[in-house]
Amino acid sequence: MDKSPSPGVLDMPQEAPLIQDPKSLVDSYPVVPITVDCVIFGFDENELKVLLIRSDLEVFEGKWSLLGDVVHDTEELDEAAYRVLRQRTGMEDVFLEQVKTFGSPNRHPGGRVVTVAYCSLLNVLHHQLKILDNELHWHAVNQLCDMAFDHKDIIDECYSWLQKRIQEHPLAFNLLPEKFSLRQLQNLYEAILGVSLDRRNFRKKFFSMDFLIDIEEYEEDVPHRPGKLYKFNFEKYEQNKRKWFGIDF
Amino acid sequence: MDKSPSPGVLDMPQEAPLIQDPKSLVDSYPVVPITVDCVIFGFDENELKVLLIRSDLEVFEGKWSLLGDVVHDTEELDEAAYRVLRQRTGMEDVFLEQVKTFGSPNRHPGGRVVTVAYCSLLNVLHHQLKILDNELHWHAVNQLCDMAFDHKDIIDECYSWLQKRIQEHPLAFNLLPEKFSLRQLQNLYEAILGVSLDRRNFRKKFFSMDFLIDIEEYEEDVPHRPGKLYKFNFEKYEQNKRKWFGIDF
DNA sequence: GCAAAAGTGTTGTCCTTACACCCATGC
DNA sequence: GCATGGGTGTAAGGACAACACTTTTGC
């Protein structure tokens, strides 16, 4: 019920005096710790997975938790998220995007902690987990329970974000191996969106986009006719970024 | 370059010991102030506007700034944003949504301050500004300059967010008076999206959605044939929320 | 009667959907 | 040779884009 201005001041021309010392202003603000939490999606065995560790808080004993850490003093928020990802999985060069900030006063049992959720997609097989502390594990997104903190809410938000995002940008390719079959691609879309799609139309759609490179290789060791393998043409996609218009609600 | 766990602990079965006192863990974290900033868009004289005040910091003398304030100790982030809006404009019952969090270490001259940007849309005429301190004013979005802090970046992000959002959800109606002509609606879309649209197709589009209520009234005091006025059927829209699918990039 | 903007339909194109049969491989 | 999934084409319907003339009002 107050307005923000006016510690260390000094009268000035017009109406309100200007604040000369921003530092003492900021020092008067209440403070809280800021963390980042990474929701890292992967795809394996035709299921969308998310990377979790066991919480190391006793109050959450046995519950699963997102990968997160405090943001350091001089660190960008994005940097902090990349650092967590690197430290926990050993991976670099991964797509990572801010999704939403969660700051309920009681979301952390140790006092208020505001967390910025980042979402990341990576390929379970290509990116072997290099560090396995706290039982770092992939969990099927559809079978989550007993999460620590508000991490279930965070995952739900990120999952919705992903469903939407993957229809506007070809993020899905970050979840697949470098070479993939169209069936794998379709399985991925079906898993993420929770729908089933017509195989022929799906192919037409992707071929007409013209972002797939036919590498003239085939699946091996499959008990049926092997499918062709493709790579995604990231370069071409970057050039043709969509000029987007269409009112549609 | 460290991992997060392990102040006040005590050895335990398996590998890592569990933390029994979350409070002392959180107390060990570095802390920063959290603020919210509101990017309040309005529409007037066929221009998209944003609500700004003069910065009250001397280092930003003469520059414009978003409406913002510190988040109180026991306050939800959303609540804080609504409070700012209420205190600065006198308005309640306005659409408000979290857009993105900005936390560069040097974005505030008084020390690190992390801010959560919220976006709000309201109707310039309907919602008269009740409080006019710090030269609270509407500014054309296309003519911003000399903003304090990183507020120009924040507005840019929110503007992009709005352009996208308004094509998926009928947010635009929050910017118009209760009764509006189709021309007003089209002007609004053209202003926000920065394109010009075919009048007949625009009408067809909106009539076919069937969310406009014909109230059998007409414009008055216009020097040409008066247009029909409509209301937006928020209720019907809520019921028919879009089931959305279409890969499209 | 003139200026200014409202109102109105049709057509072609493209995109989306639905749908069924043959093919290549492993066993 | 059979089971499994890969690969392919077409037709109908719906959405979108382009486009010009008549109507109503104030002055």
Side-chain angles (χ1 to χ4, degrees):
Chain A
M1 304 297 123
D2 47 13
K3 278 190 288 87
S4 49
S6 64
V9 287
L10 174 62
D11 258 354
M12 274 259 157
Q14 286 285 63
E15 7 179 303
L18 293 179
I19 293 164
Q20 298 186 315
D21 182 3
K23 202 167 251 15
S24 66
L25 172 68
V26 169
D27 287 345
S28 74
Y29 291 161
V31 291
V32 294
I34 302 271
T35 60
V36 289
D37 279 299
C38 293
V39 180
I40 304 178
F41 288 109
F43 184 64
D44 192 31
E45 295 172 10
N46 286 347
E47 266 192 323
L48 188 66
K49 310 247 170 136
V50 63
L51 200 50
L52 301 177
I53 56 175
R54 290 278 187 200
S55 174
D56 50 10
L57 292 187
E58 196 180 63
V59 285
F60 292 131
E61 187 168 0
K63 301 202 176 191
W64 294 94
S65 162
L66 292 168
L67 303 179
D69 195 11
V70 155
V71 177
H72 295 170
D73 279 336
T74 59
E75 193 178 41
E76 295 284 340
L77 300 175
D78 290 5
E79 278 175 26
Y82 280 107
R83 174 175 52 81
V84 167
L85 193 57
R86 193 171 58 244
Q87 288 175 348
R88 298 301 200 147
T89 68
M91 286 311 311
E92 319 233 10
D93 297 332
V94 177
F95 170 87
L96 197 49
E97 204 168 340
Q98 192 192 114
V99 175
K100 189 172 174 185
T101 297
F102 294 78
S104 282
N106 298 314
R107 56 176 296 282
H108 194 299
R112 187 171 202 175
V113 176
V114 171
T115 196
V116 184
Y118 279 79
C119 194
S120 172
L121 311 176
L122 57 79
N123 162 0
V124 172
L125 298 175
H126 189 201
H127 297 211
Q128 287 297 347
L129 302 174
K130 300 195 182 138
I131 299 150
L132 287 167
D133 57 347
N134 290 77
E135 303 180 52
L136 182 68
H137 260 100
W138 292 104
H139 287 249
V141 168
N142 296 322
Q143 294 159 39
L144 298 175
C145 51
D146 271 338
M147 302 282 305
F149 308 100
D150 53 355
H151 287 184
K152 182 67 166 63
D153 297 335
I154 296 178
I155 293 175
D156 288 344
E157 288 267 359
C158 287
Y159 185 33
S160 301
W161 174 90
L162 174 62
Q163 290 187 317
K164 189 172 160 186
R165 209 77 165 115
I166 206 172
Q167 294 180 68
E168 293 167 6
H169 297 282
L171 306 188
F173 298 100
N174 290 303
L175 296 165
L176 291 174
E178 193 193 4
K179 305 171 180 185
F180 53 87
S181 67
L182 271 174
R183 167 52 55 184
Q184 282 175 285
L185 183 59
Q186 183 173 343
N187 284 343
L188 174 55
Y189 271 88
E190 291 182 339
I192 294 178
L193 299 174
V195 295
S196 65
L197 304 169
D198 180 273
R199 201 166 83 256
R200 282 168 293 191
N201 294 334
F202 186 84
R203 302 178 142 260
K204 259 181 294 181
K205 183 87 192 174
F206 275 87
F207 286 133
S208 74
M209 287 178 190
D210 209 25
F211 293 134
L212 298 179
I213 303 169
D214 182 344
I215 56 172
E216 302 287 344
E217 292 180 41
Y218 292 84
E219 290 176 302
E220 286 171 25
D221 299 319
V222 289
H224 55 79
R225 172 173 175 179
K228 269 198 167 180
L229 297 178
Y230 300 86
K231 290 185 185 180
F232 181 69
N233 193 339
F234 285 96
E235 220 171 272
K236 181 158 185 185
Y237 168 70
E238 286 301 323
Q239 289 160 14
N240 295 27
K241 279 251 176 81
R242 169 160 198 231
K243 41 197 173 322
W244 181 55
F245 177 71
I247 300 165
D248 207 3
F249 47 84
Chain B
M1 311 308 122
D2 47 14
K3 281 192 285 86
S4 51
S6 63
V9 286
L10 177 60
D11 257 355
M12 274 258 159
Q14 288 283 66
E15 7 177 302
L18 293 178
I19 294 164
Q20 298 186 315
D21 182 4
K23 203 167 251 8
S24 66
L25 173 68
V26 169
D27 287 345
S28 74
Y29 290 161
V31 290
V32 294
I34 302 270
T35 59
V36 289
D37 280 299
C38 293
V39 180
I40 304 178
F41 289 109
F43 185 65
D44 191 32
E45 294 172 9
N46 285 348
E47 265 192 323
L48 188 65
K49 310 245 170 137
V50 63
L51 200 50
L52 302 177
I53 56 175
R54 289 279 187 198
S55 174
D56 51 10
L57 293 187
E58 196 180 62
V59 285
F60 293 131
E61 186 168 0
K63 301 200 176 192
W64 295 95
S65 162
L66 292 169
L67 303 179
D69 196 10
V70 154
V71 177
H72 295 172
D73 279 334
T74 58
E75 192 178 42
E76 295 284 340
L77 300 175
D78 290 4
E79 278 174 26
Y82 280 107
R83 175 175 52 81
V84 168
L85 194 57
R86 192 172 60 244
Q87 288 175 349
R88 298 300 200 148
T89 68
M91 285 312 309
E92 319 232 10
D93 298 333
V94 176
F95 171 87
L96 198 47
E97 204 167 341
Q98 193 193 112
V99 175
K100 188 172 174 185
T101 298
F102 294 78
S104 282
N106 299 313
R107 55 176 296 281
H108 193 299
R112 187 170 202 176
V113 177
V114 172
T115 197
V116 184
Y118 280 79
C119 193
S120 172
L121 310 176
L122 57 79
N123 163 0
V124 173
L125 298 175
H126 190 200
H127 297 211
Q128 286 298 347
L129 302 175
K130 300 196 181 135
I131 299 151
L132 288 167
D133 57 348
N134 290 78
E135 303 180 51
L136 181 68
H137 260 100
W138 292 103
H139 288 249
V141 168
N142 296 322
Q143 295 160 37
L144 299 176
C145 52
D146 271 338
M147 302 282 305
F149 308 101
D150 54 355
H151 286 185
K152 182 65 165 65
D153 297 336
I154 297 178
I155 292 175
D156 288 346
E157 287 268 359
C158 286
Y159 185 32
S160 301
W161 174 89
L162 173 62
Q163 290 188 317
K164 189 171 162 190
R165 209 77 166 116
I166 206 172
Q167 294 179 69
E168 294 167 5
H169 296 284
L171 306 188
F173 298 100
N174 291 303
L175 296 165
L176 291 174
E178 194 193 4
K179 305 171 179 183
F180 53 87
S181 67
L182 271 175
R183 166 54 53 184
Q184 283 175 285
L185 183 60
Q186 184 172 342
N187 285 343
L188 174 55
Y189 271 87
E190 292 182 339
I192 294 178
L193 299 174
V195 295
S196 66
L197 303 169
D198 180 273
R199 202 166 80 254
R200 281 167 293 189
N201 293 336
F202 185 85
R203 301 177 143 261
K204 257 182 293 182
K205 183 84 191 175
F206 275 87
F207 286 132
S208 74
M209 286 177 190
D210 211 24
F211 293 135
L212 297 179
I213 303 169
D214 181 343
I215 56 172
E216 303 285 345
E217 292 181 41
Y218 292 85
E219 289 177 303
E220 285 171 25
D221 297 319
V222 288
H224 57 78
R225 174 172 174 179
K228 267 199 170 182
L229 298 178
Y230 300 86
K231 291 184 185 181
F232 181 69
N233 193 339
F234 285 97
E235 219 171 273
K236 182 159 184 183
Y237 168 71
E238 286 302 321
Q239 289 160 13
N240 295 28
K241 278 254 177 79
R242 169 161 197 230
K243 43 201 169 317
W244 182 55
F245 178 70
I247 300 165
D248 207 4
F249 46 84

